[in-house]
Amino acid sequence: MAEKILLDIVTPEKRVLSETVDIVVAPGEEGEFGVLPGHIPFLCKLKVGELRFRVGQSARHVAIMGGYAEVLPDRVTVLATAAEDAAEIDVVRAKAARERAERRLAEARDALEFATAQAALQRAIARLKVAEKL
Ligand code: ATP
């Protein structure tokens, strides 16, 4: 039985991280799920939110902008649209994105503008929430 999990998080732009960890908790589209070593294999979609993992006593947090996760007994691979480790998040930029999105939500003239602004707001909120955990 696997004792650790190799967690890889990649985006189209870069490898965000590759670490050996004890537990992963990820934002599945159907709800948050936890993975311990030896988990049965599955594949699922991720929503915008926070992924967290633990190595010994230390917990780390990553903002995930949606994507896919492949879970194997000794591996979790996340293919994310975009993702940033808490330390990488530019808080000033995320606050500006949140304000922009709130303005666009208030001024949206149709469902598409509303949905686009809402998605941008969710990304900014996820980044700010993760940045707070640093
Ligand atoms: P913005 O309007 O500030 O560009 P966004 O939500 O539209 O935000 P994305 O399209 O999700 O941005 O990401 C584009 C790229 O910018 C990705 O590489 C992502 O990791 C990076 N990125 C976006 N916002 C931040 C941030 N606040 N801090 C660090 N990197 C960020």
Side-chain angles (χ1 to χ4, degrees):
M1 173 102 129
E3 290 184 352
K4 297 271 181 187
I5 300 165
L6 177 61
L7 171 64
D8 276 305
I9 302 179
V10 295
T11 72
E13 291 173 1
K14 60 181 177 179
R15 180 174 296 273
V16 178
L17 64 85
S18 181
E19 300 230 7
T20 302
V21 309
D22 296 310
I23 181 172
V24 179
V25 178
E29 221 173 41
E30 319 231 316
E32 194 173 71
F33 61 90
V35 179
L36 286 165
H39 203 289
I40 51 161
F42 73 98
L43 191 63
C44 75
K45 267 182 108 169
L46 300 179
K47 63 182 179 190
V48 173
E50 174 192 88
L51 178 148
R52 56 189 192 274
F53 62 93
R54 197 162 48 71
V55 186
Q57 293 308 309
S58 106
R60 300 234 325 250
H61 304 264
V62 181
I64 299 284
M65 301 304 122
Y68 293 89
E70 179 193 41
V71 175
L72 297 173
D74 60 350
R75 245 188 131 102
V76 173
T77 306
V78 171
L79 304 176
T81 310
E84 302 100 35
D85 196 281
E88 277 183 274
I89 294 172
D90 178 339
V91 171
V92 172
R93 176 175 168 179
K95 283 187 175 159
R98 182 178 61 188
E99 278 166 27
R100 219 167 32 245
E102 282 169 347
R103 236 181 0 256
R104 282 167 48 206
L105 261 185
E107 292 166 3
R109 284 159 305 180
D110 56 38
L112 181 60
E113 282 183 11
F114 190 84
T116 315
Q118 200 169 41
L121 182 60
Q122 277 171 0
R123 293 195 299 275
I125 289 172
R127 286 179 170 121
L128 290 169
K129 184 175 164 211
V130 167
E132 268 176 19
K133 306 270 176 72
L134 193 62

